[in-house]
Amino acid sequence: MNEKEAEEAAAAVMLKQDLSWIPNFIKKRVCTAFVEDSFSNGGRCQCGATRDSHPSVALGDYFSTAMVSHWDSTQHSSEQPTDAYGELEFAGAGKRHSHFLRLSSTTDPAVVFNIMRQHWKLGQPNLVVSVVGGEGRSKVKTWVREVLRQGLVKAAQSTGAWIITSGLREGIGKCVGEAVRDHATAVSSVNLNKVVSIGIASWGMVNNRLQLVDPEGSFPAKYFVQNSPRGFCSLDNNYKAFLLVDDGTEGRKGGEVGFRGRLEDFISRQRPAGSASIDIPVLNMLISGEVSMVEALEISLKNSMPWLVLAGSGGLANFVSDIVENVPSAPMSSFGGGQKDEASPKMELRERITTKVKKHFPSEQDMDKLVDKVLSIYQNKDLISIYHAEGADDFDTVMLKVLVQASKQRVSVSTNPYVDELKLAVTWNRVDIARSELFSGNIDWKYEDLEESMTDALENDKPQFVRLFTDNGLNILNYLTYGRLEALYNSISNTSQAGIQLQHLLEERINESNDQTCIVSLYEVSQLLEVLLGEVCQPFYRSVLKVDAASTKRKALKKVCKVLKEDCFYRQNMCKHPWLCLFLWAVLQNRGEMAIFCWEMCGETVLTALGGCKILRELSKLEIETEAKLSMKELATKFECMAHDVFSTCYQAKASYSYKLLIRKSTLWGDATCLKMALAADARYFFSHDGVQSLLSQIWWGDIERGTELWKLALTMIIPPLVYTSFIDFKKENAEEVKSVMGPPPSATDCNYGETVFSFTEIKNHEGDNEDIRRPTKGTATNFRPKKQPFWISRWKQFWYAPVTSFIGNVLMYFLFLFLYAYVLLVDFKPPPPEGPAVSEYVLYFWVFTIVCEEIRETFIVGSKSFGQRLMLYAQDMWNKFDVLAISLFIAGLCCRMFSWSFNMGRGILCMDYMVFTLRLIHIFAIHRQLGPKIIILGKMIKDAFFFLFFLGVWLSAYGVANQALLYQYDPSPDRAFRRVLYRPYLHIFGQIPVEEIDTGKYWDRDCTDNLTLINEGKEPCRDTSHNWLVVILLVIFLLVTNILLVNLLIATFSYTFSKVQEHSDTYWKFQRYNLIVEYHSRPTLAPPFIILSHINLLIKRNLRKVASTKIHRFALQLKGREANKMVKWENLQKENFLSLESKKLRGTDSERLKRMTAKVDGVIKQVGEIRDVDRRLRALESDMEFCTSSLQWIMEALSQSSTVKSPKAHPTRKAVVSASIEK
C-alpha cells in the first residue's frame, strides 16, 4: 500500500467512526406481510418483491394476508436499522466520492438535513430547485437540455442553490446531471463551484442496490453502472449526494414523493447562510411529466409551494401551461336565466378544463376525478409561472419573480410587497435583477425597507448592493451607529487574521473583567488599529469610549471595562465618519471591492488609500497562509496606486494645493499626514510621483533658488559674507502668485509658496501663530504675516536654515574628518601616554565626541515617543547601526591604545574603524541622482553575494580538507592547516595555483622531513606521493566548479538583480531621498565638530528658556475652519474627476462595449417578447369580444322576437354599423 492509499484508508476509518451512529437513528423499511399480486400468479407481493425474498415472518400469517386486498407501506412494512450509508464511488468515473443514505419514507427530515449539512459538509443553500417530470432521454427535447445547462445550472451557480431531482440515469435526472457535469468542467476550481446536485430516489428503483449494502457503512462503496432491466434504473455519477427513500417496495415508482415533499417543506422554513431575514425559498420546476404527477402538483400548490412550468417541454407541462394561459378565469355570463344560471360560470370553466384534459390525455379512464384535481390546480394558478424558451427574461430573473409572486400571497397589507423580492436578490447577490426590476424608479423605497438588507449586504460582502442602497434612499449617517459598527466587527470570521487578533485582544479584556459573555467592542478595534498603524496617528474610538488618548494601556483597559459594564449609551450614537469606519472594517477583512467602494465615499481619499495600504501590509506580515498574504499585498499595492493616481489628478489641477495636501494634518486620521502615512506604509511608488519630489526639492533647497551650483554653496560656507551679495540667488519674498493649471509652474518656486510650509523658519512661524492665520472677520480674510526681521538676520537664516546647506556643510566636514583620521593613523599616531597622544589625535577624539552627542540628540531627545520606541525606531535604520558600530569600535580602540600591552590591538581596531567611517560616505551620497540608484543596486548585489559565498564555502571546505589530507599524512600546525585548507583554495579561484606544491610529480625546492619529532616542533612535513593522481583530479574538478560554474552563477545573479532593480531603482532612490531630506531638515545648522555650539544653544532654549521644539512638527500643516473645508472639498472634487476618468476608460474597453451591446440585444429581445405577450392578450381580448358580440346578438334576437317590447325601428345590422363608422 502506497502513502496515498494509506492516507485514504485512514480518512475512511475516521469518517466511518464519525457516522457509526447513523443506524441508531436512520431506519430502512422491510415488507412484513406478503400480499399477493394478482398479476404474478402468486410469485410476487404487491410490494414488488418476490415470495422468496420475503422473510419467514411475512409469509407466516396466511389468513390475515388473505383478508388484505391492497398492500400499504405503513401497515405492511416495519422499520429496521439502515444497512446502506457512507460514500459512493462510481467504478470508472474517476470523480469525487458521492454521499448516500438509505432511509425510511417516514424519517424526520430535520435529521436528514442535519446529516447533509454537518456531516456531508453541503453548504447551506440560498435556494432549492426541485425538478420533476420527464420519463426518458429520447423524450427530452434539445432546447430543454439547453435550458437546464444554460439556465438552471447557471442560476444555481449565481444563487448558491441545491438542485433536487431523482438522481437516476434517465430522463430529466440524467439531463440535469450532464448539465451539472459540464458546468463543473467549465469552472476553474472546485471551490468556485456552488452547484449542489442531490438525488432523491426510491430505494426499490435503484439497479444494483445490493452493492451499497453494508451494515457498518461503506467508505466507499464500489458501484458499477450497467444496463438496467425494465422497472429499474442506475444512479447518475454527477450528483453529490443521494437520499434513497425506502418504503418497502421494489420496482415501484413514487415511494420517495412523500419524504421529498416533507424535506422541501422543512428546508423552506430554514434560513439561508448569512441571512436572518428570509427563509430558504423552494421552487418546484415541472418539465414534461406524466398524468400521475397531477396529484403531487395539487398537494404542493395547496401548501403554497411555487411552481415553474416549462411550456413546450411536453406531457403535463404543456397541459398546465395551456390551462393557465388559455383558460379565462371569469367568462361572461348571459343575461337572464334565473337561479338555474347562477352556477353557469363554474360549469363553463369545468367544461373548458374538461375539453383541455380530453385533448391532452384522451386515454385517461377516470376523467371526472382528474378534472377535479385540475380545477383545484387552476384555483391556485397564481403560484404557477410559465417559462417560454423564447422569452426575453433570463432564467434566474424568472425564478426570482416566481418566488416573489408566491411570497406576496403571504405579505400583509402594511408591508412593502417588494421587500421580500429585495431580500431574495440580496441573498442571491443578483444586483442586476434588483437594479432593473426593483430600483427602476417605479417603487418608493423607505429607509425601513432597506435597513435589514443593508446589514445583510455588508456582512456578506456585497458592495454592489451597498452602492445601490445608498443611491436609493438609505442615509448612511442614520444607519451606522456605534452599536451597529460593533455588530459588524463581531460578524468577522474568527479564522481571518483580523478575527484572530480581535479575539486575542478580547481575551485580555475578559481576563481583566472576569466576564465570559464579553463581545468585541470598539476598544479591541482601537487596540488592533493602534498595533497596525503604530505611531502614525492617534488611536481611534478612544473619545467614544471616554478614554484619554494619553493614558497607559492598563488604565485604558480598566476604564473601558467600567464603561462597558454600564448601559453603553455610546452605542446609540451615530458614527461621526461612517464611511471611514466601514472602510477600516472592510480593509481589516481584506474585502477589496467593499473597501474600494467605501474609499470612494470617504473624504481625504489620498490619506485614506495610504492608510489602507499601511493596514494591509502590516496584516500581511501577521498572516500565515500564502494565498491570503498575497491577496493582502495585492490590495495594498492597489490602494497605493489609487493614492498615487488621485494625487496625480490633484497635482495636475493645482500644484500648490497638492503640496498642502501632502503635509496637512488630518482630522479623520488623528493628525496624520500623507507623507507620514506613506513613509509608514513603505509606499515607494507614491513617493516617486513628481509632485511629492517637487515638494521635497523645495523643502531641500529652502529659501535658496533651486538649481544653484553646489560649489557656490561650499564657497559661501567658507566665505560667509558672500551671503549678502548676489553670488547666491534667493527666492523673492513678495513673488507674484501664479496660478498653476495642469502641472507645476515653470519656475522652481511654488505659485502659492507664501501659504505653504517649506522651510524650518516657516514651520516655526506657522506653528507658533496658527490661530491667527486666515481668521475670517465679516466676510473678509486677513493673512497673518510675522514681524519682519532685519535684512542681515533674515538673509543669514535663509542660507543656514536650508537643509541643502546643512548637507553640504556635513559633507565637507566629514571629508575633513576622514582626512584627519587618516593623518593620525598614518603620520601622527604616537605611543601610549605619557608620550602620546598627539594634538591632532585629541582633536579627532573631540570630533568623534560631537558626533556621539548628535547621535544621542537624534535618538533620545527629538520626538515625543517613549524611550523604548525611540530606541527601536533608531535601530530600524541600517546606517544608524553603522554609526553605532563605528563609535563602538572607536571607543574600544581608544581604550586599548592607551596601554602599552594593548597598544597594537587598539591601533588595529582604529584602522578597521576607519573603514567603517569611510563606508558611511555611501549613505551621504544616496541623495545624488546618479549615485543613489546605483547604491541601491549595490546593496541588492551584496545580499546575492552572501548566497554565493555559502556555496563557495561548501566547495572550499570540501576540497581544502580532502586536498590537505591527501597531500600530508600528518601536519599538526594549525597555521599551515588553515592556509592550505581555506586560504590556498580561495586563491585558486583567482589563478594563483602553486602546481609544484600540489603536484607531487613536480620538484619543490623546499626542505621537509618525515621525522614526527621534527614535524611536531614545526618542521615542514614531506608530501605523500601515493595519491597524486587523485589530488590532480580534485584540483581540476574544483577549478571547473568554482571558476566556471559558481562564478558564472554569480555573474548571472548579478545581471538578473541589476536588470530587475534597475527598473525600480529610481523609485527606491526617491523613497530613500525623503528619509535623507527629513534627517538633514531636522539637524542643527552646524556640522561636527562645530555642532557642539548648536547643542549648547538647544540646551539653553529647552531647559532654561523653555522654548518648545518645532522640529518635531516638520512636514506638518494644521488647517482649520474655512481653509480646511476648502481643502477637503477641493480634494473630493479631484477624486470625482479621477473616478469619472477611470469610468470613462473602463467604458472604452472592448469587454464593456460587448456588455453594452449584449444589453441592447437583450432589450430588443425583451421588447419582442412583450410584443408576443401583447399579441396573446389581444387574441384573448378578441375571443372575449366575440363572446360578447354573440351574446349581444342573442339578446337582440330574443328581444326582436319578444311580444312585450316593440320598437318602431329595426335593429341595426353589422353592415350598417361598419358603413356608419367609415363615413365618420
Side-chain angles (χ1 to χ4, degrees):
M1 179 182 293
N2 56 24
E3 184 178 354
K4 183 177 180 181
E5 291 176 348
E7 291 179 357
E8 292 179 352
V13 171
M14 292 179 62
L15 185 59
K16 191 172 184 178
Q17 294 175 352
D18 293 340
L19 299 179
S20 59
W21 55 271
I22 282 184
N24 299 328
F25 294 91
I26 305 298
K27 308 297 180 180
K28 66 177 181 179
R29 280 202 168 270
V30 178
C31 179
T32 56
F34 183 84
V35 180
E36 182 179 338
D37 187 358
S38 59
F39 298 98
S40 63
N41 295 324
R44 190 176 296 274
C45 176
Q46 290 186 15
C47 70
T50 60
R51 180 183 292 271
D52 297 337
S53 62
H54 281 68
S56 58
V57 178
L59 301 175
D61 192 358
Y62 295 103
F63 178 77
S64 61
T65 55
M67 299 294 293
V68 178
S69 60
H70 178 69
W71 187 90
D72 183 76
S73 175
T74 56
Q75 297 180 7
H76 303 124
S77 65
S78 62
E79 291 186 343
Q80 298 179 7
T82 184
D83 56 1
Y85 64 93
E87 292 184 347
L88 188 62
E89 179 183 358
F90 290 87
K95 301 227 175 194
R96 298 176 64 187
H97 296 171
S98 302
H99 305 280
F100 76 97
L101 175 64
R102 178 184 181 183
L103 66 155
S104 170
S105 58
T106 58
T107 304
D108 184 5
V111 178
V112 179
F113 185 74
N114 179 66
I115 293 175
M116 296 168 70
R117 288 282 295 111
Q118 301 298 329
H119 301 280
W120 291 357
K121 305 301 181 183
L122 301 183
Q124 186 88 348
N126 294 325
L127 168 68
V128 174
V129 180
S130 179
V131 184
V132 297
E135 31 196 71
R137 180 163 185 177
S138 59
K139 296 183 180 181
V140 179
K141 299 179 181 180
T142 304
W143 69 267
V144 174
R145 290 199 292 270
E146 288 299 318
V147 168
L148 294 176
R149 181 178 291 105
Q150 301 295 335
L152 175 61
V153 177
K154 175 186 173 184
Q157 170 69 17
S158 64
T159 57
W162 284 4
I163 301 178
I164 298 179
T165 69
S166 63
L168 303 176
R169 290 179 60 87
E170 70 170 7
I172 295 300
K174 184 175 183 180
C175 292
V176 172
E178 291 175 348
V180 172
R181 177 199 62 197
D182 296 341
H183 171 76
T185 304
V187 175
S188 58
S189 173
V190 177
N191 297 328
L192 299 177
N193 187 6
K194 300 180 182 179
V195 180
V196 177
S197 52
I198 301 173
I200 302 180
S202 175
W203 168 261
M205 289 289 297
V206 178
N207 187 33
N208 293 334
R209 57 186 177 275
L210 295 181
Q211 298 175 4
L212 311 179
V213 175
D214 187 347
E216 296 182 356
S218 302
F219 302 94
K222 295 281 186 178
Y223 185 76
F224 295 87
V225 178
Q226 301 174 349
N227 293 329
S228 304
R230 186 176 182 85
F232 297 92
C233 189
S234 299
L235 298 176
D236 193 284
N237 62 340
N238 296 307
Y239 286 78
K240 288 187 177 181
F242 295 94
L243 298 177
L244 306 178
V245 183
D246 188 4
D247 64 341
T249 63
E250 292 185 13
R252 299 289 190 266
K253 294 182 178 180
E256 79 285 359
V257 173
F259 173 79
R260 181 170 174 176
R262 288 186 288 110
L263 178 62
E264 292 169 357
D265 180 67
F266 175 81
I267 294 176
S268 68
R269 288 181 274 108
Q270 307 305 310
R271 299 286 185 178
S275 176
S277 56
I278 61 171
D279 295 331
I280 298 176
V282 178
L283 174 64
N284 293 280
M285 185 175 175
L286 178 61
I287 303 176
S288 185
E290 302 173 351
V291 68
S292 58
M293 299 177 182
V294 171
E295 184 175 1
L297 176 62
E298 178 192 10
I299 296 174
S300 178
L301 289 173
K302 287 182 179 179
N303 293 329
S304 300
M305 301 291 286
W307 281 78
L308 180 62
V309 180
L310 257 66
S313 60
L316 182 61
N318 286 359
F319 170 70
V320 173
S321 62
D322 190 12
I323 64 170
V324 170
E325 291 184 333
N326 299 325
V327 175
S329 57
M332 185 178 294
S333 62
S334 59
F335 292 98
Q339 297 178 357
K340 180 180 178 180
D341 294 332
E342 288 181 358
S344 59
K346 182 180 291 187
M347 294 299 297
E348 188 168 351
L349 176 62
R350 184 180 181 86
E351 291 177 1
R352 293 194 177 195
I353 289 179
T354 303
T355 304
K356 296 290 184 181
V357 171
K358 291 180 178 179
K359 175 182 176 182
H360 288 274
F361 307 109
S363 60
E364 182 65 25
Q365 297 179 354
D366 195 352
M367 189 65 66
D368 292 338
K369 185 176 180 181
L370 179 60
V371 170
D372 292 337
K373 293 179 180 179
V374 174
L375 276 172
S376 175
I377 293 173
Y378 185 82
Q379 292 174 356
N380 295 285
K381 69 174 183 177
D382 291 337
L383 295 172
I384 301 176
S385 297
I386 310 301
Y387 176 77
H388 296 274
E390 66 275 12
D393 292 335
D394 293 334
F395 191 80
D396 44 5
T397 307
V398 173
M399 287 200 308
L400 176 65
K401 291 181 178 179
V402 172
L403 294 171
V404 171
Q405 185 177 3
S407 66
K408 288 178 182 178
Q409 309 295 326
R410 304 185 297 269
V411 174
S412 62
V413 179
S414 60
T415 306
N416 190 337
Y418 298 99
V419 171
D420 281 349
E421 187 172 357
L422 177 61
K423 292 178 180 178
L424 283 175
V426 173
T427 303
W428 295 359
N429 198 19
R430 293 305 305 270
V431 70
D432 53 340
I433 297 177
R435 185 177 288 111
S436 60
E437 302 292 335
L438 302 176
F439 292 94
S440 57
N442 300 325
I443 305 173
D444 183 19
W445 291 99
K446 298 180 181 179
Y447 169 78
E448 295 78 10
D449 301 332
L450 302 177
E451 185 177 8
E452 193 173 2
S453 297
M454 179 70 169
T455 304
D456 191 1
L458 285 171
E459 292 181 352
N460 295 285
D461 193 19
K462 297 169 183 176
Q464 293 181 341
F465 275 101
V466 177
R467 184 189 298 271
L468 188 65
F469 296 153
T470 53
D471 292 341
N472 291 273
L474 189 140
N475 188 349
I476 194 67
L477 292 173
N478 296 331
Y479 171 78
L480 192 63
T481 61
Y482 288 114
R484 184 162 280 157
L485 182 61
E486 286 186 351
L488 290 176
Y489 276 104
N490 281 280
S491 68
I492 297 178
S493 173
N494 292 334
T495 59
S496 64
Q497 188 57 231
I500 294 173
Q501 298 299 324
L502 287 173
Q503 290 300 319
H504 176 70
L505 295 170
L506 179 61
E507 290 174 1
E508 295 181 359
R509 181 161 62 88
I510 291 176
N511 296 333
E512 177 68 25
S513 62
N514 295 323
D515 185 3
Q516 300 298 325
T517 61
C518 292
I519 60 174
V520 175
S521 67
L522 292 182
Y523 174 73
E524 284 75 36
V525 179
S526 175
Q527 290 291 101
L528 178 57
L529 292 175
E530 187 175 357
V531 170
L532 297 176
L533 294 173
E535 298 293 328
V536 179
C537 59
Q538 297 177 4
F540 284 85
Y541 306 124
R542 289 290 183 94
S543 60
V544 177
L545 297 170
K546 300 178 181 179
V547 176
D548 187 9
S551 60
T552 61
K553 184 177 180 180
R554 185 73 177 174
K555 292 182 179 180
L557 183 58
K558 290 184 177 180
K559 177 67 175 179
V560 167
C561 292
K562 182 179 179 181
V563 170
L564 294 177
K565 285 182 180 179
E566 297 174 356
D567 295 333
C568 300
F569 293 109
Y570 75 91
R571 292 175 178 169
Q572 302 175 4
N573 299 333
M574 305 298 175
C575 291
K576 293 182 179 179
H577 310 290
W579 286 117
L580 178 62
C581 296
L582 291 177
F583 172 79
L584 295 173
W585 171 78
V587 166
L588 288 174
Q589 298 180 84
N590 193 28
R591 293 182 174 181
E593 193 175 351
M594 180 73 76
I596 290 174
F597 169 69
C598 295
W599 170 81
E600 293 176 1
M601 305 299 291
C602 278
E604 303 184 8
T605 50
V606 177
L607 181 57
T608 302
L610 292 172
C613 177
K614 165 68 175 173
I615 293 173
L616 288 166
R617 284 181 175 160
E618 292 298 327
L619 276 177
S620 66
K621 297 176 183 178
L622 303 174
E623 185 60 58
I624 300 175
E625 297 182 3
T626 305
E627 186 176 353
K629 182 188 291 287
L630 292 177
S631 175
M632 290 178 181
K633 289 183 178 179
E634 290 177 1
L635 185 57
T637 304
K638 189 171 184 179
F639 274 121
E640 182 182 355
C641 294
M642 289 162 56
H644 176 277
D645 295 341
V646 174
F647 179 74
S648 179
T649 306
C650 297
Y651 184 63
Q652 292 175 4
K654 195 168 186 180
S656 61
Y657 272 39
S658 65
Y659 296 150
K660 287 185 178 182
L661 189 65
L662 292 174
I663 59 177
R664 173 203 57 189
K665 287 186 177 180
S666 170
T667 56
L668 289 180
W669 286 86
D671 290 340
T673 64
C674 290
L675 288 181
K676 191 176 180 181
M677 186 68 76
L679 178 65
D682 195 24
R684 302 178 180 180
Y685 179 61
F686 180 79
F687 270 106
S688 66
H689 191 274
D690 291 341
V692 180
Q693 293 301 309
S694 178
L695 174 63
L696 295 179
S697 296
Q698 296 195 38
I699 296 175
W700 178 248
W701 287 95
D703 291 332
I704 302 173
E705 283 287 354
R706 292 172 60 180
T708 303
E709 290 82 352
L710 296 180
W711 66 269
K712 290 185 178 181
L713 297 177
L715 185 60
T716 306
M717 295 181 69
I718 300 173
I719 310 175
L722 292 177
V723 172
Y724 302 105
T725 65
S726 60
F727 186 69
I728 294 179
D729 296 330
F730 291 88
K731 296 175 182 176
K732 297 180 181 180
E733 295 182 2
N734 298 323
E736 295 182 359
E737 235 180 76
V738 181
K739 293 184 179 180
S740 61
V741 181
M742 300 304 292
S747 65
T749 308
D750 185 73
C751 61
N752 208 9
Y753 184 78
E755 297 179 3
T756 309
V757 181
F758 295 130
S759 67
F760 171 73
T761 55
E762 289 170 347
I763 289 179
K764 183 176 179 180
N765 294 331
H766 192 93
E767 292 293 334
D769 305 283
N770 186 43
E771 297 299 327
D772 298 326
I773 294 179
R774 290 186 175 270
R775 182 174 296 168
T777 305
K778 295 182 179 181
T780 62
T782 59
N783 292 330
F784 173 81
R785 295 184 180 275
K787 184 178 179 180
K788 192 172 182 180
Q789 295 178 334
F791 171 76
W792 64 277
I793 295 178
S794 62
R795 179 55 56 90
W796 183 265
K797 289 184 177 181
Q798 283 178 336
F799 177 77
W800 289 104
Y801 284 1
V804 65
T805 306
S806 177
F807 173 75
I808 296 298
N810 277 272
V811 171
L812 293 177
M813 297 306 294
Y814 198 78
F815 273 111
L816 187 59
F817 166 74
L818 293 177
F819 175 78
L820 177 62
Y821 201 158
Y823 174 79
V824 170
L825 290 176
L826 298 175
V827 178
D828 206 12
F829 197 81
K830 293 186 177 182
E835 299 179 13
V839 177
S840 59
E841 194 169 350
Y842 280 116
V843 174
L844 179 64
Y845 296 163
F846 177 74
W847 204 315
V848 174
F849 171 74
T850 58
I851 294 176
V852 173
C853 291
E854 173 58 20
E855 292 296 324
I856 295 174
R857 184 203 66 83
E858 183 181 347
T859 307
F860 303 111
I861 297 178
V862 175
S864 57
K865 300 180 178 66
S866 63
F867 177 81
Q869 292 173 340
R870 295 174 186 172
L871 193 61
M872 291 183 61
L873 185 64
Y874 179 83
Q876 290 176 0
D877 191 355
M878 182 189 68
W879 295 109
N880 288 337
K881 298 175 185 177
F882 255 77
D883 293 337
V884 173
L885 177 61
I887 294 171
S888 301
L889 288 175
F890 190 86
I891 294 173
L894 173 62
C895 294
C896 292
R897 69 95 57 222
M898 292 297 177
F899 305 97
S900 57
W901 59 270
S902 59
F903 174 78
N904 291 329
M905 185 185 353
R907 189 173 186 277
I909 294 175
L910 290 174
C911 291
M912 294 299 298
D913 190 38
Y914 179 80
M915 293 182 60
V916 179
F917 272 115
T918 306
L919 290 176
R920 193 65 171 79
L921 283 172
I922 295 177
H923 174 58
I924 294 176
F925 287 102
I927 194 68
H928 197 270
R929 191 173 189 85
Q930 279 72 37
L931 291 178
K934 300 301 182 294
I935 292 173
I936 295 171
I937 296 175
L938 180 63
K940 299 286 185 181
M941 287 184 173
I942 290 175
K943 294 180 181 179
D944 294 335
F946 280 109
F947 293 102
F948 167 77
L949 291 176
F950 168 76
F951 291 110
L952 182 62
V954 172
W955 274 100
L956 282 176
S957 59
Y959 169 74
V961 172
N963 183 71
Q964 176 70 5
L966 290 173
L967 282 176
Y968 300 96
Q969 293 182 353
Y970 180 71
D971 187 3
S973 174
D975 180 64
R976 283 197 300 265
F978 174 78
R979 289 177 178 272
R980 290 170 179 173
V981 170
L982 296 177
Y983 181 61
R984 187 171 63 186
Y986 179 74
L987 294 178
H988 291 353
I989 301 174
F990 304 99
Q992 296 187 17
I993 306 173
V995 180
E996 63 278 357
E997 183 180 353
I998 297 176
D999 189 356
T1000 57
K1002 300 283 186 179
Y1003 173 72
W1004 188 28
D1005 186 13
R1006 188 166 184 178
D1007 295 335
C1008 63
T1009 182
D1010 292 328
N1011 191 331
L1012 295 179
T1013 303
L1014 296 177
I1015 293 174
N1016 289 328
E1017 293 177 354
K1019 190 71 174 178
E1020 176 74 25
C1022 291
R1023 297 172 296 175
D1024 184 10
T1025 59
S1026 60
H1027 299 92
N1028 183 58
W1029 62 274
L1030 186 56
V1031 171
V1032 174
I1033 293 176
L1034 289 178
L1035 176 61
V1036 172
I1037 295 175
F1038 175 74
L1039 293 177
L1040 177 66
V1041 173
T1042 55
N1043 287 26
I1044 297 178
L1045 198 63
L1046 291 181
V1047 172
N1048 281 281
L1049 175 63
L1050 180 64
I1051 295 172
T1053 305
F1054 282 172
S1055 300
Y1056 172 75
T1057 301
F1058 182 84
S1059 60
K1060 183 179 180 181
V1061 178
Q1062 181 67 22
E1063 300 177 0
H1064 307 286
S1065 60
D1066 187 64
T1067 302
Y1068 294 153
W1069 167 73
K1070 290 177 178 178
F1071 182 72
Q1072 289 189 350
R1073 179 173 178 254
Y1074 170 79
N1075 293 324
L1076 197 65
I1077 292 174
V1078 171
E1079 177 184 349
Y1080 282 98
H1081 186 274
S1082 61
R1083 276 198 174 201
T1085 305
L1086 300 177
F1090 306 110
I1091 199 172
I1092 193 67
L1093 301 177
S1094 298
H1095 291 162
I1096 296 173
N1097 180 40
L1098 290 174
L1099 184 64
I1100 295 173
K1101 289 175 65 177
R1102 300 292 176 266
N1103 297 319
L1104 300 180
R1105 298 176 58 191
K1106 303 298 182 181
V1107 178
S1109 173
T1110 57
K1111 290 291 185 180
I1112 60 175
H1113 300 295
R1114 60 184 182 268
F1115 299 91
L1117 177 65
Q1118 185 74 46
L1119 298 179
K1120 294 184 179 180
R1122 293 177 56 189
E1123 192 173 3
N1125 293 334
K1126 183 179 180 181
M1127 176 61 70
V1128 172
K1129 291 179 181 178
W1130 179 78
E1131 184 182 2
N1132 289 334
L1133 177 62
Q1134 303 311 315
K1135 176 199 67 176
E1136 295 298 331
N1137 294 337
F1138 164 75
L1139 293 177
S1140 62
L1141 183 61
E1142 291 296 315
S1143 178
K1144 185 177 180 181
K1145 291 180 181 178
L1146 183 62
R1147 288 196 302 269
T1149 58
D1150 294 337
S1151 59
E1152 289 297 320
R1153 290 177 180 175
L1154 185 60
K1155 287 182 182 179
R1156 291 198 297 271
M1157 183 62 68
T1158 304
K1160 291 179 180 179
V1161 173
D1162 291 342
V1164 173
I1165 296 176
K1166 188 173 183 179
Q1167 290 180 358
V1168 172
E1170 292 175 354
I1171 293 173
R1172 178 181 174 277
D1173 183 58
V1174 170
D1175 181 63
R1176 181 180 60 81
R1177 291 165 60 188
L1178 287 175
R1179 288 200 302 270
L1181 183 60
E1182 184 180 1
S1183 176
D1184 292 340
M1185 291 297 295
E1186 289 179 355
F1187 175 77
C1188 292
T1189 303
S1190 61
S1191 300
L1192 291 174
Q1193 185 69 26
W1194 179 83
I1195 293 172
M1196 291 172 60
E1197 292 177 355
L1199 290 176
S1200 62
Q1201 296 175 2
S1202 175
S1203 59
T1204 57
V1205 180
K1206 293 293 184 178
S1207 175
K1209 297 182 180 180
H1211 64 81
T1213 60
R1214 178 178 294 274
K1215 183 176 181 181
V1217 172
V1218 171
S1219 60
S1221 62
I1222 293 175
E1223 290 178 359
K1224 290 182 179 180

